[in-house]
Amino acid sequence: MAQKVTPRSKDYSRWYTDVIQKAELADYSPVKGCMVIRPYGYALWENIQQGLDRRFKATGHVNAYFPLFIPESFIKKEAEHVEGFSPELAVVTHGGGKRLDEPLIVRPTSETIINAMYAKWVRSWRDLPILINQWCNVVRWEMRTRLFLRTTEFLWQEGHTAHATPEEAEEEARRMLDVYSDFAENDAAIPVIKGRKSDAERFAGAVRSYAIEAMMGDKRALQSGTSHNLGDNFARAFGTQYLDRNNELRYVHQTSWGLSTRMVGAIIMVHGDDQGLILPPKLAPYQVVIVPIWHDEGEKAQVLATIETITGEFGEAVRCKVDDREEYSPGWKFNDWEMRGVPLRIEIGPKDVAKGQVVLARRDVAGREGKSSAPMEGLLGRVQEMLDEIQANLFAQALKFREDNTSEPTDYEEFKVVVENGFARSYWCGSAECEATIKDETKATIRCVPFDQDGEEGNCIYCGHEATEKAIFARAY
Ligand SMILES: [Zn+2]
């Protein structure tokens, strides 16, 4: 029997963990709160990295690396920052068998240590802008953890830039949010809402935080990437100054932005179904799996020779896996690769070889409807076309799901019902008190104030006061 996951429709949370473990994306580790990313999950992460890294470089950024350890005094320099991060810091007090003169923090994020360096590197306006990204791990001591979504140690990238003017920093923060949204929608096939975070949800030390928010398959929200305009807060704390064109000393204006292995959790939760994972073709470690079917040695030789011709033609154009294991039946393999979310399956048996064709089975369309045959001739073109169709269909399905589950309630009573099972798009007066009360009473938080507003005025969904903007309210991961 092939491995089965708990159906998503039955128990979403169990399904999520089942998929991760049975598809061998990740596993629990002997260290509480940490996870082991297994090769299949890491291959998915590598494709995420490549999709992002390409976009970072196309927008003028370069990669560098800063230390894992941050002197404790650095973290304390920016008041809001230390307050925000203190509860979740891991602190090293001993090294080489001796007590350290100054404890070292295992980085929760790197604004402080990077500023210590930028303060040395920046002298004049000619040194700006600095556009650096780093790929690394960070540690935030979490009490309640969940594979990929919240773990004590996780992988991410953090961009840190320094600019001459506030306008340039604002432009950069918005540009990188666009980069994230382009990646999420085009590569991960996840529709996102771009917007501003409320002050309560703002990054500790930022002037303004922006985020992309996505709806998961259980109608809860997941913040999938953030970009912050840090103003000159860190520059003031670290003395990161430059001489402008008039030889006057000024503070730099900065941004930071991050996207983490949470994105893997988002991909699982947005696209998966009762059978398991469904991976978007652009990020799938294997875009195509080929399953040969034979009954005797003669057929086997014939089928495998045909497959060799096909994979030869595919070359590097398609990420393809041939599952020619003898110890499993074709039916077992079909189920197994379906559970692992491979977007497209090619079946080839002796009859297909004789007819010069193959059977294609789409992962995103269940049963017979997802099956078709295609001539061997020109197969690569047909496969690429179909992968594009799957990619587009996954995005369209996710968008429809989000739209079907987003409402604009007319009053607070209706609002309470809506946020139990979806997103509410409602006027908010901007008061932190309304926001906090709504959170207490409904567990829904302001995910973001979308950039996309209709320009009309209305009344705050909670207090009824005048409001100029609508916010997205939802229960979130
Ligand atoms: Zn209000």
Side-chain angles (χ1 to χ4, degrees):
M1 268 298 282
Q3 301 190 76
K4 287 252 178 221
V5 297
T6 306
R8 186 178 112 141
S9 45
K10 206 173 135 205
D11 184 341
Y12 195 81
S13 172
R14 267 283 301 280
W15 167 84
Y16 178 75
T17 324
D18 266 16
V19 166
I20 291 172
Q21 292 195 283
K22 293 192 170 152
E24 298 178 355
L25 294 172
D27 204 350
Y28 296 103
S29 87
V31 183
K32 195 171 168 285
C34 292
M35 78 175 160
V36 176
I37 304 178
R38 302 185 67 175
Y40 194 52
Y42 202 80
L44 178 55
W45 174 240
E46 283 179 319
N47 290 340
I48 293 171
Q49 283 186 303
Q50 283 168 22
L52 286 171
D53 207 64
R54 181 163 45 80
R55 287 171 169 87
F56 296 159
K57 285 171 181 158
T59 44
H61 303 84
V62 289
N63 288 331
Y65 188 76
F66 296 84
L68 166 69
F69 299 121
I70 300 176
E72 190 180 41
S73 57
F74 284 21
I75 298 277
K76 290 181 172 163
K77 282 192 184 190
E78 211 289 328
E80 249 191 48
H81 191 65
V82 65
E83 198 191 314
F85 280 100
S86 279
E88 45 189 42
L89 296 179
V91 185
V92 180
T93 55
H94 289 73
K98 288 194 197 121
R99 189 169 186 90
L100 301 174
D101 291 336
E102 181 182 359
L104 296 172
I105 308 295
V106 182
R107 69 177 159 226
T109 178
S110 302
E111 279 76 8
T112 56
I113 189 133
I114 287 179
N115 255 280
M117 298 315 296
Y118 284 5
K120 276 173 69 177
W121 296 345
V122 175
R123 287 283 166 262
S124 92
W125 59 271
R126 292 177 200 86
D127 301 324
L128 298 171
I130 300 183
L131 306 171
I132 286 180
N133 174 64
Q134 101 167 330
W135 288 99
C136 66
N137 58 344
V138 285
V139 167
R140 297 176 186 178
W141 216 258
E142 297 282 359
M143 290 306 145
R144 293 186 57 201
T145 59
R146 200 151 198 209
L147 294 170
F148 288 115
L149 299 180
R150 180 164 277 112
T151 47
T152 295
E153 180 194 16
F154 60 89
L155 304 183
W156 76 346
Q157 57 67 218
E158 46 178 325
H160 295 271
T161 68
H163 308 264
T165 66
E167 293 77 20
E168 281 175 55
E170 178 64 19
E171 197 185 310
E172 166 79 0
R174 295 285 293 258
R175 177 184 303 121
M176 298 323 286
L177 196 73
D178 286 343
V179 163
Y180 287 153
S181 122
D182 180 61
F183 167 80
E185 301 205 328
N186 290 305
D187 287 14
I190 296 176
V192 293
I193 301 169
K194 287 188 283 187
R196 189 183 80 239
K197 283 286 181 188
S198 67
D199 282 351
E201 303 272 331
R202 188 164 41 83
F203 175 76
V207 175
R208 266 185 302 283
S209 286
Y210 301 113
I212 50 169
E213 295 284 333
M215 181 183 280
M216 302 297 104
D218 62 350
K219 302 168 197 168
R220 283 169 71 182
L222 184 79
Q223 176 179 296
S224 309
T226 50
S227 180
H228 316 290
N229 180 342
L230 304 173
D232 60 7
N233 290 347
F234 287 89
R236 283 180 187 275
F238 285 84
T240 315
Q241 289 176 295
Y242 71 100
L243 284 170
D244 71 8
R245 286 168 199 257
N246 304 317
N247 237 17
E248 278 174 49
L249 209 50
R250 298 191 183 280
Y251 287 109
V252 297
H253 292 263
Q254 293 177 285
T255 78
S256 67
W257 25 276
L259 187 147
S260 73
T261 34
R262 273 199 132 189
M263 183 50 85
V264 175
I267 290 168
I268 298 167
M269 289 197 288
V270 168
H271 301 306
D273 66 8
D274 279 359
Q275 274 66 50
L277 211 52
I278 300 182
L279 295 174
K282 284 200 182 158
L283 298 177
Y286 302 124
Q287 297 170 306
V288 173
V289 61
I290 302 183
V291 179
I293 301 161
W294 66 72
H295 306 97
D296 57 46
E297 288 301 307
E299 287 179 359
K300 178 181 166 189
Q302 228 184 6
V303 169
L304 290 183
T306 306
I307 289 176
E308 223 176 282
T309 313
I310 293 174
T311 52
E313 192 199 335
F314 284 3
E316 306 260 296
V318 175
R319 293 189 292 276
C320 176
K321 164 91 181 167
V322 179
D323 188 356
D324 55 5
R325 289 176 292 177
E326 308 247 358
E327 63 272 32
Y328 296 106
S329 71
W332 189 94
K333 292 175 188 174
F334 294 172
N335 289 329
D336 193 52
W337 290 110
E338 262 174 30
M339 188 267 290
R340 289 168 202 267
V342 175
L344 187 63
R345 180 176 75 234
I346 299 180
E347 307 166 9
I348 307 178
K351 280 182 196 155
D352 301 307
V353 173
K355 282 195 259 179
Q357 64 167 42
V358 300
V359 172
L360 303 176
R362 289 170 63 146
R363 177 63 180 90
D364 63 324
V365 182
R368 284 196 173 277
E369 265 176 65
K371 278 202 172 196
S372 59
S373 57
M376 214 88 83
E377 184 147 345
L379 185 61
L380 174 59
R382 181 71 196 112
V383 163
Q384 285 176 318
E385 216 173 76
M386 200 168 262
L387 290 173
D388 287 346
E389 282 168 32
I390 296 170
Q391 182 82 27
N393 182 43
L394 289 178
F395 180 80
Q397 278 179 358
L399 184 60
K400 182 172 188 306
F401 183 79
R402 189 188 77 194
E403 282 172 353
D404 287 349
N405 292 291
T406 301
S407 328
E408 303 208 4
T410 48
D411 57 32
Y412 188 57
E413 287 311 306
E414 195 189 329
F415 174 94
K416 286 197 253 183
V417 178
V418 167
V419 294
E420 274 192 33
N421 224 355
F423 285 11
R425 196 182 161 95
S426 298
Y427 281 108
W428 172 52
C429 64
S431 118
E433 221 181 303
C434 288
E435 183 183 8
T437 315
I438 290 173
K439 186 179 175 181
D440 279 352
E441 294 182 1
T442 69
K443 294 191 198 129
T445 49
I446 293 180
R447 301 320 306 154
C448 70
V449 178
F451 296 148
D452 189 13
Q453 297 280 338
D454 48 24
E456 288 177 23
E457 290 184 14
N459 303 95
C460 175
I461 193 70
Y462 187 75
C463 69
H465 286 150
E466 271 175 37
T468 55
E469 289 178 313
K470 283 178 182 167
I472 298 288
F473 292 85
R475 291 181 178 178
Y477 280 97

mmCIF file of all heavy atoms in Angstrom, residues 428-431 434-435 460-465, ligand 1:
data_model
loop_
_atom_site.group_PDB
_atom_site.id
_atom_site.type_symbol
_atom_site.label_atom_id
_atom_site.label_comp_id
_atom_site.label_asym_id
_atom_site.label_seq_id
_atom_site.Cartn_x
_atom_site.Cartn_y
_atom_site.Cartn_z
ATOM 1 N N TRP A 428 -11.254 50.876 8.625
ATOM 2 C CA TRP A 428 -10.609 50.945 9.942
ATOM 3 C C TRP A 428 -10.191 52.395 10.162
ATOM 4 O O TRP A 428 -9.583 53.003 9.279
ATOM 5 C CB TRP A 428 -9.404 50.003 9.981
ATOM 6 C CG TRP A 428 -8.552 50.135 11.212
ATOM 7 C CD1 TRP A 428 -8.963 50.091 12.507
ATOM 8 C CD2 TRP A 428 -7.120 50.340 11.250
ATOM 9 N NE1 TRP A 428 -7.884 50.247 13.354
ATOM 10 C CE2 TRP A 428 -6.743 50.396 12.609
ATOM 11 C CE3 TRP A 428 -6.127 50.459 10.278
ATOM 12 C CZ2 TRP A 428 -5.422 50.589 13.013
ATOM 13 C CZ3 TRP A 428 -4.808 50.643 10.670
ATOM 14 C CH2 TRP A 428 -4.464 50.701 12.037
ATOM 15 N N CYS A 429 -10.521 52.917 11.364
ATOM 16 C CA CYS A 429 -10.281 54.335 11.635
ATOM 17 C C CYS A 429 -8.809 54.642 11.892
ATOM 18 O O CYS A 429 -8.416 55.797 11.964
ATOM 19 C CB CYS A 429 -11.114 54.766 12.836
ATOM 20 S SG CYS A 429 -10.626 53.906 14.348
ATOM 21 N N GLY A 430 -7.988 53.610 12.075
ATOM 22 C CA GLY A 430 -6.567 53.836 12.317
ATOM 23 C C GLY A 430 -6.213 53.756 13.796
ATOM 24 O O GLY A 430 -5.037 53.841 14.158
ATOM 25 N N SER A 431 -7.232 53.573 14.669
ATOM 26 C CA SER A 431 -6.920 53.547 16.099
ATOM 27 C C SER A 431 -6.424 52.176 16.550
ATOM 28 O O SER A 431 -6.977 51.133 16.170
ATOM 29 C CB SER A 431 -8.145 53.975 16.919
ATOM 30 O OG SER A 431 -8.566 52.930 17.770
ATOM 31 N N CYS A 434 -9.141 50.165 18.582
ATOM 32 C CA CYS A 434 -10.107 49.364 17.811
ATOM 33 C C CYS A 434 -9.443 48.069 17.364
ATOM 34 O O CYS A 434 -10.017 46.982 17.467
ATOM 35 C CB CYS A 434 -10.602 50.131 16.585
ATOM 36 S SG CYS A 434 -11.713 51.475 16.997
ATOM 37 N N GLU A 435 -8.218 48.200 16.876
ATOM 38 C CA GLU A 435 -7.467 47.047 16.384
ATOM 39 C C GLU A 435 -7.294 46.001 17.487
ATOM 40 O O GLU A 435 -7.536 44.804 17.272
ATOM 41 C CB GLU A 435 -6.096 47.536 15.892
ATOM 42 C CG GLU A 435 -5.218 46.478 15.281
ATOM 43 C CD GLU A 435 -3.837 47.032 14.894
ATOM 44 O OE1 GLU A 435 -3.523 48.188 15.246
ATOM 45 O OE2 GLU A 435 -3.075 46.289 14.252
ATOM 46 N N CYS A 460 -15.519 53.142 10.468
ATOM 47 C CA CYS A 460 -14.744 52.054 11.077
ATOM 48 C C CYS A 460 -15.700 50.912 11.471
ATOM 49 O O CYS A 460 -16.742 51.154 12.096
ATOM 50 C CB CYS A 460 -14.011 52.567 12.315
ATOM 51 S SG CYS A 460 -13.132 51.306 13.241
ATOM 52 N N ILE A 461 -15.321 49.701 11.111
ATOM 53 C CA ILE A 461 -16.173 48.545 11.353
ATOM 54 C C ILE A 461 -16.423 48.340 12.845
ATOM 55 O O ILE A 461 -17.461 47.812 13.241
ATOM 56 C CB ILE A 461 -15.579 47.264 10.718
ATOM 57 C CG1 ILE A 461 -16.574 46.112 10.683
ATOM 58 C CG2 ILE A 461 -14.293 46.841 11.417
ATOM 59 C CD1 ILE A 461 -17.707 46.276 9.735
ATOM 60 N N TYR A 462 -15.525 48.846 13.706
ATOM 61 C CA TYR A 462 -15.719 48.663 15.140
ATOM 62 C C TYR A 462 -16.376 49.867 15.818
ATOM 63 O O TYR A 462 -17.428 49.731 16.422
ATOM 64 C CB TYR A 462 -14.392 48.313 15.838
ATOM 65 C CG TYR A 462 -14.618 47.945 17.283
ATOM 66 C CD1 TYR A 462 -15.156 46.710 17.614
ATOM 67 C CD2 TYR A 462 -14.353 48.855 18.305
ATOM 68 C CE1 TYR A 462 -15.416 46.368 18.924
ATOM 69 C CE2 TYR A 462 -14.608 48.518 19.629
ATOM 70 C CZ TYR A 462 -15.146 47.282 19.937
ATOM 71 O OH TYR A 462 -15.411 46.946 21.232
ATOM 72 N N CYS A 463 -15.753 51.045 15.678
ATOM 73 C CA CYS A 463 -16.248 52.201 16.447
ATOM 74 C C CYS A 463 -17.185 53.103 15.654
ATOM 75 O O CYS A 463 -17.838 53.977 16.231
ATOM 76 C CB CYS A 463 -15.073 53.017 16.986
ATOM 77 S SG CYS A 463 -14.159 53.876 15.695
ATOM 78 N N GLY A 464 -17.212 52.934 14.331
ATOM 79 C CA GLY A 464 -18.121 53.728 13.519
ATOM 80 C C GLY A 464 -17.601 55.109 13.149
ATOM 81 O O GLY A 464 -18.250 55.843 12.407
ATOM 82 N N HIS A 465 -16.428 55.490 13.667
ATOM 83 C CA HIS A 465 -15.860 56.786 13.294
ATOM 84 C C HIS A 465 -15.441 56.796 11.836
ATOM 85 O O HIS A 465 -15.256 55.743 11.228
ATOM 86 C CB HIS A 465 -14.652 57.115 14.197
ATOM 87 C CG HIS A 465 -15.053 57.519 15.571
ATOM 88 N ND1 HIS A 465 -14.256 57.282 16.667
ATOM 89 C CD2 HIS A 465 -16.176 58.131 16.041
ATOM 90 C CE1 HIS A 465 -14.874 57.728 17.763
ATOM 91 N NE2 HIS A 465 -16.040 58.246 17.401
HETATM 92 ZN ZN ZN B 1 -12.322 52.546 15.028
#
